[in-house]
Amino acid sequence: MSSKKAGGPYTKQQQDERRKKVNELYFEKRLTAVNIADVLGVNRNTVNEDIKLAYVQTGESFPDDSILLFLNQIKKMEAQINSS
C-alpha cells in the first residue's frame, strides 16, 4: 500500500490484503487502530471498519444463541488489552 494514498475506493485485492494485515496487527500484535492506521497509511475509520468486519465474520460462524456470549467475551478481552 502506498503511504501517499489519500483515501477512496480500494480494489478487492487491496481490501483483502489490508484486512489481512489489520487482523494480524490487531489480533496478533495487539496494536491499536490508531497505530495500525499509521503503519498502513490508511484512515483510522477504515481500520475500525475492518476490525468490526472481522468480529462479524467470526460471530457468524457461531450458533445464534451463542452470539451474545461471544460478544461479551470479546468485550472482556478488549477491556483486558486496554488496561495493560
Side-chain angles (χ1 to χ4, degrees):
M1 267 194 220
S2 170
S3 61
K4 295 182 182 184
K5 178 91 172 131
Y10 295 94
T11 66
K12 177 71 171 142
Q13 181 179 357
Q14 288 172 322
Q15 285 179 344
D16 291 344
E17 290 172 7
R18 184 193 69 239
R19 288 175 179 154
K20 182 178 177 183
K21 192 67 177 169
V22 166
N23 289 345
E24 175 189 335
L25 295 172
Y26 185 77
F27 293 107
E28 294 176 23
K29 308 234 182 205
R30 299 181 181 206
L31 294 182
T32 65
V34 172
N35 290 341
I36 295 168
D38 288 341
V39 168
L40 299 181
V42 298
N43 188 287
R44 183 192 73 221
N45 293 329
T46 300
V47 173
N48 285 330
E49 289 300 317
D50 289 345
I51 293 168
K52 279 193 234 178
L53 179 63
Y55 281 132
V56 167
Q57 289 174 335
T58 302
E60 288 174 350
S61 66
F62 289 93
D64 288 342
D65 60 344
S66 57
I67 289 175
L68 278 178
L69 177 63
F70 170 73
L71 293 175
N72 286 332
Q73 287 300 105
I74 294 296
K75 286 180 186 177
K76 288 178 186 178
M77 288 186 331
E78 286 183 336
Q80 290 173 349
I81 290 169
N82 292 331
S83 68
S84 40

